[in-house]
Amino acid sequence: MTEPGPKHVPVMLKRCLDVLAPALTAPGAVVVDATLGLGGHSEALLQTFPEARLVAVDRDPAALELAGKRLAPYGERATLVHAVYDEIPAVLERLDIPRVQGVLFDLGVSSMQLDEAERGFAYAQDAPLDMRMDQTRGLSAAEVLNTYAHGDLARILKVYGEERFAKKIATVIVREREKEPFTTSARLVELVRNAIPAATRRTGGNPAKRTFQALRIEVNGELAVLDRAVPGALDALAVGGRIAVLSYHSLEDRLVKQYLAAGATSTAPPGLPVVPEQYQPWLKLLTRGAELPTEAEIEENRRAAPARLRAAERIRERSAARG
C-alpha cells in the first residue's frame, strides 16, 4: 500500500480553503470532505479551522486506513466513514448532524489509486483491469470489457469517454475478447492505440485515456452517484454554508454547473413586478464560471492541470413551493 508522500499534493488547496473560510470560523461548524482520499484537504481543513468538526467519507477502505493514520492527531474532531458521497445525507442523519456549514468534493480518482499499479486505473503501467474505488463490491473493468454487449461498450466509450472512435474500439474489444478474455491494462492500451487512426494518435496524449476514463466512470457509477450527491449535499447546507467542487473532466463539471446555476437562478414567471421569496435564488455563486489552477500550481503538481473549481453559498432556506 502506498504511503502518503510529498507528491500527493491537494489540488487548489488554498483556493478551496479561502472559499469555505467564511462558513467555517464559528465554533461548532461542521465541514464534510466528500472525497477523503489520502486526507490532504481534510488535514488542511482541520488545521485551518481549529473550531470546526470534520466528517469525511470515502468508498475506498484503503484510503480510509491511510487517512485515518494521518488525521489521528485530531481525535474526535475528525469522523471518518466508509460510504459513497451520495450517501452523505444518510451519514449525517446517523451522526445526528442536521445541517453542515461546508462541503468539499474533490472528484475523480485519487493519487493513491493512480499510484498503486494493482488498482488498474493508470494506462501508463500494466496492471490488472480492476478500477473499482471500493474493491469489496461491484464489477471490475475486466468484467465490463468481457461481458458487455457491443452496443453498451460503444455507448459508455462515447458518452463517458467522449471518444470519437467508440464503435470501432468496441468492435475490436468484442473481437479480441473472444480469443482471450481481458485481464490486464497493457493489452487494452495496445488495442485502443491500434484502433485509432494514426493521425489522431499523434495529438492529445495517450489515445487510451478516454477509454480508461469511460471504464472508470462506468465501473464506479460516478456520474449517477454525482447526480445524486450534489443535490444531497446542497440540501445538507445550512444557510450561510458553502460548497466547493473540484471536477476533472467536462462531464462532471457540466453536471455540477447545472445544479449550482439552477439554485442561483430565479424561477419567477416573467413580468412579476415583485418576485415572491419562493421564486428567488437560494444559492449565490462564489466563482465566475469554473476557476482554473494557476500555472505555478500546475508546474508543481501536474495532476492539478485538468481541475475546475465551482463554489456556491446557500443564502436562504428553500421553499417547499419550489420542489
Side-chain angles (χ1 to χ4, degrees):
M1 186 181 293
T2 306
E3 290 291 336
K7 61 184 173 181
H8 296 110
V9 182
V11 172
M12 296 183 75
L13 177 59
K14 183 179 185 305
R15 185 61 184 129
C16 288
L17 295 173
D18 288 346
V19 163
L20 295 171
L24 299 182
T25 53
V30 178
V31 59
V32 175
D33 186 342
T35 46
L36 173 62
L38 283 169
H41 284 108
S42 278
E43 184 177 44
L45 288 165
L46 289 163
Q47 286 177 343
T48 307
F49 308 109
E51 300 292 330
R53 175 185 176 187
L54 171 81
V55 176
V57 305
D58 205 291
R59 61 167 65 178
D60 187 341
L64 286 164
E65 182 183 345
L66 285 174
K69 296 174 183 176
R70 181 175 192 166
L71 302 180
Y74 299 94
E76 294 183 356
R77 288 183 58 210
T79 303
L80 277 54
V81 183
H82 182 213
V84 186
Y85 44 75
D86 64 340
E87 299 171 310
I88 285 171
V91 168
L92 294 175
E93 185 177 358
R94 288 200 303 271
L95 295 172
D96 198 24
I97 299 173
R99 290 290 181 90
V100 301
Q101 284 63 49
V103 181
L104 172 64
F105 286 88
D106 183 12
L107 300 172
V109 62
S110 74
S111 294
M112 180 195 70
Q113 290 162 342
L114 283 171
D115 291 341
E116 288 190 346
E118 65 270 19
R119 302 297 292 270
F121 286 101
Y123 43 77
Q125 44 193 342
D126 192 23
L129 279 164
D130 193 317
M131 298 194 195
R132 289 173 298 168
M133 293 179 181
D134 180 351
Q135 292 183 300
T136 67
R137 65 182 81 175
L139 292 177
S140 68
E143 289 172 299
V144 169
L145 289 168
N146 292 326
T147 63
Y148 275 31
H150 177 276
D152 291 330
L153 285 172
R155 173 184 56 81
I156 67 169
L157 292 175
K158 180 179 176 62
V159 176
Y160 296 161
E162 300 177 287
E163 173 57 74
R164 283 189 296 154
F165 304 102
K167 287 185 178 179
K168 188 172 183 182
I169 293 170
T171 298
V172 172
I173 289 170
V174 170
R175 184 186 70 217
E176 292 301 316
R177 76 187 185 191
E178 291 177 359
K179 302 175 185 176
E180 182 184 351
F182 284 92
T183 57
T184 60
S185 55
R187 179 178 173 220
L188 178 61
V189 170
E190 187 64 22
L191 289 175
V192 172
R193 187 188 304 276
N194 292 337
I196 291 176
T200 304
R201 293 201 301 265
R202 286 193 284 269
T203 59
N206 193 311
K209 68 181 181 181
R210 291 178 293 276
T211 294
F212 272 63
Q213 173 180 299
L215 284 170
R216 193 196 82 216
I217 291 172
E218 173 67 14
V219 164
N220 296 289
E222 289 178 39
L223 289 176
V225 169
L226 185 62
D227 200 19
R228 295 186 295 267
V230 176
L234 290 172
D235 285 344
L237 280 180
V239 174
R242 293 183 166 210
I243 184 172
V245 185
L246 286 163
S247 305
Y248 293 86
H249 57 75
S250 60
L251 299 172
E252 290 174 340
D253 182 56
R254 194 178 308 141
L255 194 155
V256 173
K257 175 185 177 182
Q258 289 169 353
Y259 277 113
L260 298 190
T265 302
S266 169
T267 58
L272 288 183
V274 177
V275 178
E277 183 179 345
Q278 68 261 32
Y279 297 120
Q280 292 175 8
W282 57 284
L283 293 178
K284 179 178 74 174
L285 300 182
L286 301 173
T287 48
R288 292 174 64 99
E291 291 189 7
L292 311 181
T294 64
E295 290 184 11
E297 178 173 2
I298 294 172
E299 191 171 327
E300 178 190 0
N301 180 17
R302 295 301 304 171
R303 289 177 183 168
R308 303 290 182 269
L309 174 66
R310 294 184 186 271
E313 178 183 354
R314 184 169 193 153
I315 55 175
R316 68 174 183 84
E317 290 294 349
R318 198 173 176 185
S319 169
R322 290 195 55 188

